[in-house]
Amino acid sequence: MLTIDPELEMTLKALAKQEHISPNEIIKRLISYYVSQNQTKEQQAKQTLLSLMAKVPNSVSLADELIHERRLEAKHEQGNR
């Protein structure tokens, strides 16, 4: 399933031997670390957005109004075609 460059595979095997774990375990740990880092970034972005929205009065209702307005404009444009 996973294809690795032969040079990288040799490095992976040497590292696994040095760490006394399997190459598969190293790959699992790397993938797990990568996924957790991306989830952390997403959570930070969401938290920042929520923080900004909390500082702007009625930001949620304003956003809803803008979305509704855009939908009405789109419907109007489709009706005129």
Side-chain angles (χ1 to χ4, degrees):
M1 180 166 103
L2 181 64
T3 305
I4 300 176
D5 181 306
E7 190 174 313
L8 181 58
E9 184 178 7
M10 286 177 26
T11 304
L12 176 63
K13 286 179 180 179
L15 180 60
K17 186 175 182 178
Q18 178 183 346
E19 296 293 322
H20 304 289
I21 57 176
S22 71
N24 284 342
E25 183 62 27
I26 292 175
I27 292 170
K28 286 178 193 177
R29 289 179 184 183
L30 287 170
I31 291 171
S32 178
Y33 176 77
Y34 178 80
V35 169
S36 70
Q37 289 300 305
N38 282 341
Q39 288 174 344
T40 299
K41 288 177 186 175
E42 287 177 19
Q43 289 171 347
Q44 288 173 346
K46 286 177 186 176
Q47 197 61 29
T48 300
L49 180 60
L50 289 173
S51 175
L52 289 172
M53 289 176 67
K55 291 178 183 178
V56 179
N58 301 320
S59 59
V60 174
S61 61
L62 178 61
D64 288 341
E65 287 177 30
L66 289 172
I67 291 169
H68 180 69
E69 187 177 307
R70 296 288 187 266
R71 286 180 181 156
L72 290 176
E73 288 173 2
K75 275 186 177 180
H76 181 72
E77 288 176 7
Q78 287 177 353
N80 290 334
R81 290 182 188 178

